Amino acid sequence: MMNHDSYPDAYIRGILNTVKTIAMVGLSPKDNRPSYFAFKYLLERGYHMIPVNPGQAGREILGQKVYAKLADIPEPVDMVDIFRAAQYATGAGKEALARNPRPEGIWMQLGVRKDEAAKLAEEAGLKVVMNRCPKIEYGRLSSEIAWMGVNTRTLSSKKAQLSGRGIQRMSLNRTTLAGAATEAATRAEASEKDRP
């Protein structure tokens, strides 16, 4: 089992660079809730976001159809983001493991740590992150939050690559002091160099 007290930047970057579809369990429809902020942010960064909330099933949040449970989602999911209290993490993890195909990873939000759920997922070959927010990690690793004066531990003389329009949507294709670029980032950089 991985040490879940500290994650290498390369591990986090590798997950965020490879997943495309994220099911967020526990998304709130209230625009002042952290789950709503995180969902909206990741949606704006190009991830296919799927909300899971039994109380909102059949409705839409930010233009995305809400499902009651993970089993109801009719398409493959790369990562399950658990935005519920730790006591519900094992149940959500078991639901994720019951999917066919299984997701590549399970992510538990800030304040959510459940070693039992992590162990089950890792034994099944999934990557696990606990007590972290993918929104915050994306912002830190892309240097977006550096624009607000937050120390991201990112050191590079390269201009940040934009992801879409505007300086506030940077991509993860950068190397940090604590980790190396992933294969996806290396391929992206190589394809940029090949363009006329």
Side-chain angles (χ1 to χ4, degrees), residues 91-112:
K94 286 179 180 177
E95 266 193 71
L97 291 173
R99 287 190 52 83
N100 187 16
R102 285 183 176 155
E104 298 169 22
I106 293 179
W107 193 298
M108 296 177 223
Q109 281 291 340
L110 282 174
V112 181

Side-chain angles (χ1 to χ4, degrees), residues 2 6 8 27 39 41-42 71 83 92-93 102 115 135 154 164 177 181 184:
M2 176 170 220
S6 176
L27 173 65
F39 188 92
Y41 179 92
L42 295 169
F83 227 116
R102 285 183 176 155
D115 291 321
K135 172 193 179 293
T154 300
L177 264 172

